[in-house]
C-alpha cells in the first residue's frame, strides 16, 4: 500500500466508505420496505374480510319485494334463508374470501373461494387474528371473522392472501434499488477518481519542477497552477517563494565569488610580477626593497580584503546571531569618537557634538563597526591638517548620526555608487581599502531598519548620515 499513489489511496478509501454506506442503506431500505409491504398486505387482507362481513344476512322468510334474485345469492339456512349480497367480493386485491358454516359440528365452505382449504382444514379459526402459514414454500396470511349479523350463528369468513405477491413487489423494489445504487456508486467512484486526480495535478507539477531543478539546476523554474487559495495552491506558493529565495541567494553567492576573485586577481598579479622581477632582474638592494615594499602593500591589501570579506560573509550569513537590544547610542558614539580621536592620522582633528541619552534598539557590535567605518573613511580620505566632525542629534523620533570631513570628497558621478560592493571611487588609491566598508555600513543600517546616505563635493569634503529609529 505504501507504494501506491495518493490518488489510488484516496479513491480506494472513498470507494470502500461509499460501498459500506451503500450496503448499509440497501439493508435498511430493504428491512423497512419488507415491513411496510407486510403491513400493507395484512391491511388489505383485513379490509377485504371486514368489508364482506355485512354482506352475509339472514332472512326468516322470502319476501319478493325485498329480494333481488338476479344479483344476490340465497341458500337455505336453519329455518330461513342466508343471503350473500352481490357486494360480497370473493377475490379483491389478491385476497380470496370464503364463507364457512360451522353449524352441525362440521366446517363447510358454503360460499366463495379458499385456495388453501384442503391444506388448512385443521387450522383453527381465530376471530380477528392474523395467522401465517407456509405451504409448499409459499407464505400465506389468513384472517378470520365470525359473522355477528342478526339470526346468523356459526358463520365465519376466512380471508387468504399469498405472501408471494408482496415478495414479488419487494424483489422488484430491490432490483430497482440495487440498479440505482450501483449506478450512483459507479458515478461517484469515477467522479471521485477524476476529482482526486485533478486535485493532485499541481502535485505532479511540483514534483516535475523539483526533479527538473535537481536534474538541470534550473532555479528559475516556477510552478504555475493559476489562482486559488486551497492547500495545494499554498504549497505551490511556498515552493515558488522558496525557489525565489534560493535563486537570489545563489545569484548573490555567484556574484560574491566573482567579485572576490576579481578583487584578489590584481594584488596577486602584482605580487607575482614583483617577485618574478626581483628574482630574475633584481641586482641592487634598492630593487629588492622596492619589490618587497610593493609585495608588502599588496599583501596588506589582500589581508584587509579577506578580513572585510569574512566580516561581510558573517554579516550576510549570520544576521540571526546578531541580537538586538536597547542601546545608548550617545555613549557608543562618544566612546568611539574618544578612541578614534587618538589616531591623529595626517594631523587630522576629530571633534564631536553628541546629544546625550539617545536610545535605539540595535546590536552594539554592528553599530560600532558602522561608526568606525565612517570615521575611518573620513581619516582615510581626509586631507592633511583637516577636520572631522561627528554629530548625534534626535529629530522626530529618529536618531541622526553625521560624520563630516573636509577631505577629497566624492564626484557627483561616483556618489550613487559608493555604497555598492567593492566600489572604490579613486582607483589610484585602491590599496587603501577593499570597497566593502560602505556596503557593509548600508547592510548594517538596513538591519536596524534605518538608512544611510551621503552628501559630498569633490575636493571639498563629504558628509555621511545614518538614520535609526529612537526607542
Ligand atoms: P574602501 O575600503 O575603499 O574605503 P568603502 O566602501 O568604505 O571602501 O568606500 C567606498 C569608496 O567610497 C571609497 O573607495 C572611496 O572612494 C569613497 N569614499 C568613502 N568614504 C569617503 C570619504 N569620507 N571621502 C571621500 N570618499 C569616500
Amino acid at each position: 500500500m505504501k507504494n501506491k499513489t495518493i490518488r489510488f489511496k484516496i479513491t480506494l478509501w472513498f470507494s470502500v466508505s461509499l460501498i459500506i454506506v451503500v450496503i448499509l442503506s440497501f439493508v435498511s431500505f430493504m428491512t423497512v420496505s419488507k415491513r411496510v409491504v407486510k403491513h400493507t398486505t395484512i391491511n388489505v387482507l383485513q379490509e377485504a374480510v371486514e368489508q364482506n362481513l355485512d354482506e352475509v344476512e339472514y332472512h326468516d322468510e322470502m319476501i319478493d319485494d325485498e329480494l333481488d334474485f338476479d344479483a344476490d345469492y340465497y341458500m337455505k339456512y336453519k329455518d330461513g334463508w342466508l343471503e350473500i349480497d352481490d357486494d360480497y367480493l370473493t377475490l379483491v386485491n389478491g385476497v380470496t374470501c370464503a364463507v364457512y358454516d360451522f353449524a352441525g359440528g362440521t366446517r363447510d365452505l358454503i360460499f366463495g373461494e379458499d385456495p388453501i382449504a384442503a391444506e388448512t382444514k385443521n387450522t383453527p379459526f381465530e376471530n380477528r387474528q392474523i395467522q401465517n402459514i407456509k405451504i409448499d414454500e409459499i407464505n400465506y396470511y389468513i384472517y378470520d371473522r365470525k359473522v355477528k349479523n342478526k339470526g346468523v350463528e356459526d358463520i365465519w369468513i376466512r380471508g387468504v392472501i399469498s405472501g408471494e405477491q408482496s415478495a414479488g413487489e419487494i424483489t422488484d423494489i430491490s432490483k430497482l434499488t440495487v440498479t440505482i445504487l450501483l449506478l450512483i456508486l459507479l458515478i461517484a467512484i469515477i467522479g471521485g477518481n477524476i476529482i482526486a486526480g485533478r486535485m493532485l495535478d499541481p502535485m505532479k507539477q511540483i514534483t516535475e519542477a523539483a526533479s527538473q531543478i535537481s536534474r538541470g539546476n534550473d532555479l528559475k523554474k516556477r510552478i504555475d497552477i493559476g489562482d486559488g487559495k486551497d492547500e495545494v495552491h499554498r504549497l505551490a506558493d511556498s515552493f515558488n517563494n522558496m525557489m525565489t529565495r534560493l535563486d537570489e541567494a545563489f545569484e548573490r553567492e555567484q556574484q560574491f565569488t566573482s567579485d572576490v576573485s576579481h578583487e584578489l586577481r590584481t594584488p596577486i598579479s602584482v605580487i607575482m610580477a614583483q617577485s618574478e622581477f626581483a628574482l630574475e632582474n633584481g641586482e641592487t638592494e634598492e630593487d629588492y626593497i622596492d619589490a618587497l615594499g610593493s609585495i608588502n602593500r599588496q599583501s596588506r591589501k589582500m589581508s584587509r580584503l579577506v578580513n572585510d570579506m569574512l566580516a561581510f560573509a558573517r554579516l550576510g550569513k549570520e544576521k540571526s546571531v546578531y541580537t538586538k537590544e536597547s542601546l545608548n547610542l550617545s555613549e557608543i558614539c562618544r566612546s568611539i569618537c574618544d578612541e578614534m580621536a587618538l589616531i591623529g592620522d595626517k594631523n587630522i582633528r576629530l571633534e564631536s557634538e553628541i546629544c546625550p541619552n539617545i536610545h535605539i534598539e540595535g546590536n552594539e557590535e554592528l553599530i560600532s563597526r558602522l561608526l568606525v567605518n565612517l570615521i575611518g573613511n573620513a581619516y582615510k580620505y581626509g586631507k592633511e591638517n583637516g577636520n572631522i566632525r561627528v554629530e548625534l542629534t534626535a529629530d522626530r523620533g529618529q536618531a541622526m548620526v553625521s560624520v563630516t570631513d573636509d577631505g577629497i570628497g566624492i564626484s557627483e558621478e561616483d556618489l550613487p555608487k559608493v555604497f555598492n560592493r567593492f566600489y572604490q571611487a579613486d582607483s589610484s588609491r585602491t590599496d587603501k581599502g577593499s570597497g566593502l566598508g560602505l556596503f557593509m555600513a548600508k547592510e548594517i543600517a538596513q538591519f536596524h531598519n534605518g538608512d544611510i546616505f551621503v552628501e559630498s563635493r569633490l575636493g571639498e569634503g563629504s558628509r555621511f548620515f545614518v538614520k535609526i529609529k529612537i526607542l
Side-chain angles (χ1 to χ4, degrees):
M1 192 51 124
K2 268 187 189 166
N3 298 330
K4 300 287 179 213
T5 60
I6 294 180
R7 180 180 184 168
F8 177 81
K9 285 182 196 163
I10 291 178
T11 311
L12 184 71
W13 166 248
F14 174 74
S15 310
V16 169
S17 319
L18 208 63
I19 288 170
I20 293 173
V21 170
V22 163
I23 291 174
L24 286 179
S25 320
F26 179 71
V27 169
S28 8
F29 179 77
M30 287 315 291
T31 314
V32 173
S33 300
K34 270 185 188 163
R35 277 200 197 151
V36 169
V37 170
K38 182 182 170 188
H39 190 248
T40 314
T41 309
I42 289 170
N43 268 356
V44 166
L45 172 66
Q46 284 175 323
E47 226 167 80
V49 174
E50 296 293 340
Q51 261 178 16
N52 280 339
L53 268 184
D54 292 339
E55 313 309 335
V56 180
E57 284 170 32
Y58 174 74
H59 297 280
D60 292 330
E61 51 192 318
M62 305 288 264
I63 302 161
D64 286 355
D65 293 352
E66 290 175 7
L67 303 177
D68 180 358
F69 289 101
D70 292 337
D72 300 338
Y73 178 80
Y74 296 89
M75 65 182 82
K76 197 86 186 89
Y77 181 72
K78 289 185 185 167
D79 300 332
W81 296 88
L82 196 66
E83 178 200 335
I84 310 288
D85 199 88
D86 69 338
D87 287 340
Y88 181 96
L89 297 172
T90 304
L91 181 62
V92 58
N93 294 332
V95 181
T96 49
C97 290
V99 181
Y100 279 90
D101 180 12
F102 277 77
T106 53
R107 143 178 172 172
D108 304 319
L109 198 162
I110 54 171
F111 189 81
E113 280 175 30
D114 182 352
I116 51 169
E119 291 86 349
T120 54
K121 62 177 184 283
N122 292 325
T123 310
F125 277 62
E126 310 249 12
N127 196 27
R128 293 180 196 272
Q129 291 296 313
I130 295 287
Q131 298 187 64
N132 191 355
I133 286 180
K134 206 170 206 161
I135 299 165
D136 297 337
E137 294 306 309
I138 299 174
N139 218 11
Y140 288 95
Y141 293 102
I142 299 173
Y143 182 65
D144 303 319
R145 284 290 273 134
K146 192 169 191 312
V147 182
K148 291 254 173 71
N149 294 341
K150 190 172 150 247
V152 180
E153 282 161 23
D154 300 328
I155 294 285
W156 287 71
I157 295 180
R158 167 163 280 185
V160 176
I161 188 166
S162 155
E164 288 313 292
Q165 191 180 323
S166 51
E169 272 172 40
I170 288 176
T171 315
D172 288 348
I173 292 172
S174 66
K175 271 185 197 160
L176 190 73
T177 316
V178 166
T179 316
I180 291 172
L181 287 180
L182 280 181
L183 214 68
I184 292 173
L185 195 68
L186 202 71
I187 292 170
I189 290 175
I190 294 173
N193 189 287
I194 293 171
I195 291 171
R198 284 218 187 124
M199 265 166 35
L200 293 169
D201 246 9
M203 297 290 219
K204 261 199 230 155
Q205 286 193 43
I206 295 174
T207 317
E208 184 64 21
S211 58
Q212 270 185 26
I213 290 158
S214 67
R215 275 202 306 268
N217 252 340
D218 180 9
L219 294 178
K220 296 265 180 281
K221 187 101 192 125
R222 297 288 180 274
I223 298 159
D224 181 15
I225 53 167
D227 294 337
K229 282 200 161 66
D230 58 18
E231 290 85 343
V232 182
H233 280 85
R234 286 212 296 274
L235 174 68
D237 285 348
S238 310
F239 183 87
N240 285 342
N241 289 341
M242 182 190 78
M243 288 314 299
T244 308
R245 280 210 308 283
L246 272 179
D247 190 24
E248 282 170 6
F250 187 65
E251 270 181 7
R252 266 205 309 275
E253 211 69 30
Q254 272 187 329
Q255 183 65 41
F256 186 67
T257 316
S258 98
D259 287 350
V260 166
S261 49
H262 181 258
E263 291 305 310
L264 286 174
R265 202 173 294 144
T266 317
I268 288 173
S269 312
V270 173
I271 289 172
M272 277 165 60
Q274 288 291 338
S275 54
E276 274 166 18
F277 174 79
L279 284 172
E280 286 168 16
N281 306 318
E283 286 171 3
T284 61
E285 192 183 338
E286 213 171 289
D287 288 344
Y288 289 114
I289 289 174
D290 272 359
L292 280 174
S294 177
I295 289 171
N296 182 265
R297 275 197 304 282
Q298 295 304 326
S299 311
R300 281 176 186 281
K301 180 179 166 65
M302 276 171 63
S303 161
R304 266 197 309 273
L305 193 65
V306 169
N307 281 338
D308 281 356
M309 273 176 350
L310 284 177
F312 169 73
R314 195 165 165 239
L315 176 66
K317 237 201 262 166
E318 300 175 36
K319 266 188 187 136
S320 56
V321 304
Y322 291 111
T323 51
K324 288 183 191 166
E325 56 194 342
S326 168
L327 301 177
N328 188 333
L329 185 61
S330 310
E331 270 176 20
I332 296 174
C333 276
R334 190 176 309 285
S335 87
I336 288 177
C337 286
D338 290 349
E339 279 169 22
M340 293 195 79
L342 301 174
I343 295 177
D345 195 15
K346 295 181 219 161
N347 205 22
I348 294 174
R349 271 187 57 230
L350 188 151
E351 58 185 42
S352 57
E353 190 179 332
I354 288 162
C355 184
N357 290 326
I358 296 181
H359 287 84
I360 60 160
E361 193 193 17
N363 181 280
E364 188 167 351
E365 187 190 332
L366 294 179
I367 292 288
S368 304
R369 187 180 298 161
L370 190 160
L371 293 172
V372 168
N373 256 330
L374 294 182
I375 300 171
N377 276 353
Y379 272 112
K380 234 190 305 184
Y381 304 105
K383 64 175 184 203
E384 231 24 79
N385 301 318
N387 290 291
I388 299 173
R389 184 174 173 76
V390 178
E391 279 177 64
L392 172 62
T393 54
D395 184 28
R396 275 176 265 169
Q398 298 280 343
M400 176 83 88
V401 185
S402 68
V403 179
T404 315
D405 66 65
D406 51 3
I408 61 169
I410 306 165
S411 72
E412 217 171 299
E413 182 195 336
D414 288 327
L415 216 47
K417 302 179 205 156
V418 289
F419 294 105
N420 291 355
R421 186 159 55 189
F422 295 117
Y423 188 79
Q424 294 180 307
D426 188 350
S427 51
S428 66
R429 297 172 198 256
T430 46
D431 55 341
K432 277 195 166 182
S434 64
L436 277 174
L438 287 182
F439 179 67
M440 257 196 293
K442 191 175 174 191
E443 290 268 307
I444 293 170
Q446 282 172 353
F447 176 69
H448 288 84
N449 303 320
D451 199 8
I452 184 166
F453 48 97
V454 58
E455 289 171 359
S456 183
R457 268 168 185 269
L458 196 59
E460 290 181 17
S462 314
R463 191 169 189 196
F464 284 85
F465 299 90
V466 178
K467 225 162 68 168
I468 295 175
K469 210 175 122 205
I470 295 174
L471 253 190

